[in-house]
Amino acid sequence: MGSIQEGNSGLRLPVIDISEFSVEVGKQLFDAATRYGFLYIDTKGTGFTEGMVDQEFELSREFFALPEAQKEQWRINETNRGWTGMHGEILDPNSQRKGDFKEAFNIGEFMNGKPSQPMPHTLEAHIDELAQFERTCKKVCDRIQDLLGLGLEVEEPNFFSSRHTQPSGCTVRFLHYPSVPEDVDYEPEVDIRAGAHSDYGSITLLFQRPSQPGLEILTVGGSWAPVPVIPEGYPSATFPPILVNIADLLSYWTNGLLKSTVHRVIFPKDSRRGGEDRYSIVYFCHPGDDVELVPVPSKLVAAHVLEDGTQIGYGGGAATKRAITAREHLNNRLQATYEFRIEKNNKTGGGKA
Ligand SMILES: O=C(O)CCC(=O)C(=O)O
Ligand SMILES: [Fe+2]
């Protein structure tokens, strides 16, 4: 299972500037991806502006503020697109007593600038901005992965981006973690905003708000290391860097050389019933559905032998055997949480993610 070495001075993930496309930047990404599986990307040179990201958060807030009865109209379906309510998903079914304390809205990939699902009226007037945000996410993921290709000394240039075709499981996900009302059954030591898991795709981009921390990553020693929204010394206090993590498929693709590190989201420990609400936006990047996950042509990958019993991926539906295609892996993982949700649906009307 993916976990990282914390070191003596606590966790200090590097902030990497990807505006230059060079072997040197590729090696910086490669080092962080093999040591931690997590790193920050400076927003400079990514195509994201502060206004663009703020606007996405505004759209997310507006949607989640709708009454539940209205959000029901866009309840998630078997394509993994749409809305799922509080406790509708459980990321670590073996350890959690209740589903995650969050609600989410999944937006599947756009086809020729058009969404592939019915959109809520609050988002309908903003399709172009949403499409531009999604396109920028995709471009940044392609660039990071091609830089990683340089770092990995992959023999074929653009190995990764050329395999990120459509259709795929690529998803923009709005997340809302409400603070907990007084009348809700909540145990601070047990209940969690998002259970321990690794991500299912190739890589993930995470956008966060400066005053809303909560993400933690698992260290080799089994302890949880908090990841600040804005790392020390970063030049902006209002526009955080993008947090990037390696997900299961990039780990499969490299025989586990790149780490798909386990992470979770907790309620702030020092505040009553969760403090302020947390909003985050995630982009889950996935290769094309039928892409096969055979090891990439790289000497570094060939030389890396996965220790016996090492498992890639953790959480509901994590495969114990190697997945064959990107879609097979995604379906395995969604299936595990889907079963839980059917059961919940019958009892409480919980959703699917
Ligand atoms: O909201 C966050 O900070 C992280 C969410 C996450 O890890 C996920 O949705 O996979
Ligand atoms: Fe995650």
Side-chain angles (χ1 to χ4, degrees):
M1 159 190 8
S3 48
I4 49 117
Q5 211 86 44
E6 191 176 354
N8 297 331
S9 54
L11 186 65
R12 289 179 74 95
L13 300 174
V15 182
I16 300 176
D17 178 348
I18 58 164
S19 38
E20 191 188 298
F21 194 86
S22 67
V23 173
E24 194 196 326
V25 177
K27 285 291 174 194
Q28 287 172 23
L29 288 167
F30 173 77
D31 282 349
T34 49
R35 281 175 70 175
Y36 308 114
F38 268 84
L39 54 102
Y40 298 99
I41 295 288
D42 195 318
T43 55
K44 177 173 75 183
T46 58
F48 287 110
T49 63
E50 186 164 358
M52 192 172 157
V53 174
D54 284 353
Q55 200 204 7
E56 290 297 300
F57 275 104
E58 208 33 60
L59 294 178
S60 157
R61 245 173 234 280
E62 236 179 288
F63 171 73
F64 288 124
L66 293 173
E68 297 242 326
Q70 275 196 46
K71 290 186 277 195
E72 277 296 340
Q73 294 173 61
W74 300 285
R75 180 171 283 289
I76 204 149
N77 59 22
E78 59 295 335
T79 64
N80 194 35
R81 296 171 187 145
W83 174 74
T84 177
M86 278 289 270
H87 312 304
E89 186 179 21
I90 185 161
L91 281 169
D92 187 9
N94 294 335
S95 318
Q96 287 172 254
R97 105 189 149 110
K98 278 191 173 194
D100 297 352
F101 281 66
K102 72 179 187 207
E103 56 176 335
F105 186 74
N106 285 1
I107 305 172
E109 66 189 354
F110 285 64
M111 295 285 194
N112 302 317
K114 303 245 166 0
S116 10
Q117 70 200 83
M119 289 297 246
H121 57 275
T122 55
L123 298 180
E124 214 146 41
H126 301 277
I127 297 300
D128 289 350
E129 292 100 299
L130 288 165
Q132 193 202 353
F133 181 80
E134 193 232 25
R135 240 186 348 262
T136 312
C137 287
K138 176 70 171 42
K139 246 178 56 203
V140 167
C141 289
D142 280 351
R143 188 171 178 90
I144 294 171
Q145 291 181 93
D146 283 338
L147 280 162
L148 275 169
L150 287 183
L152 278 159
E153 300 167 29
V154 177
E155 285 146 27
E156 185 185 324
N158 311 116
F159 177 92
F160 292 114
S161 59
S162 64
R163 282 162 175 79
H164 281 71
T165 46
Q166 287 188 316
S168 76
C170 286
T171 301
V172 171
R173 180 172 231 204
F174 291 165
L175 279 158
H176 174 217
Y177 305 89
S179 46
V180 185
E182 289 298 333
D183 58 345
V184 166
D185 171 28
Y186 156 67
E187 283 179 36
E189 295 308 313
V190 182
D191 291 327
I192 190 153
R193 282 184 153 163
H197 67 283
S198 60
D199 291 348
Y200 318 161
S202 48
I203 58 171
T204 303
L205 307 182
L206 177 64
F207 299 84
Q208 304 174 89
R209 301 284 77 190
S211 57
Q212 298 167 11
L215 188 85
E216 295 190 326
I217 64 185
L218 188 62
T219 67
V220 167
S223 62
W224 289 99
V227 179
V229 174
I230 300 184
E232 230 176 276
Y234 191 71
S236 175
T238 54
F239 187 24
I242 305 162
L243 190 68
V244 174
N245 64 286
I246 303 298
D248 296 347
L249 300 189
L250 215 51
S251 201
Y252 280 123
W253 237 332
T254 59
N255 262 345
L257 183 57
L258 306 190
K259 291 211 160 59
S260 176
T261 295
V262 177
H263 52 283
R264 66 181 190 176
V265 181
I266 59 158
F267 286 105
K269 293 201 173 88
D270 52 358
S271 57
R272 234 171 102 70
R273 304 192 80 84
E276 76 176 278
D277 289 15
R278 172 179 164 89
Y279 291 85
S280 66
I281 299 175
V282 191
Y283 180 68
F284 297 111
C285 186
H286 287 255
D289 282 344
D290 50 10
V291 167
E292 291 191 2
L293 300 163
V294 291
V296 304
S298 147
K299 293 192 296 282
L300 301 177
V301 171
H304 183 76
V305 180
L306 208 55
E307 276 169 40
D308 264 3
T310 306
Q311 186 187 317
I312 294 170
Y314 176 79
T320 46
K321 67 174 176 58
R322 205 183 173 90
I324 295 165
T325 62
R327 172 55 60 180
E328 190 193 16
H329 180 68
L330 179 58
N331 286 352
N332 277 346
R333 301 214 56 180
L334 291 172
Q335 179 68 22
T337 38
Y338 184 67
E339 277 167 18
F340 160 80
R341 284 185 296 255
I342 291 175
E343 217 176 277
K344 268 205 76 83
N345 243 345
N346 294 338
K347 285 193 221 133
T348 63
K352 313 175 226 159

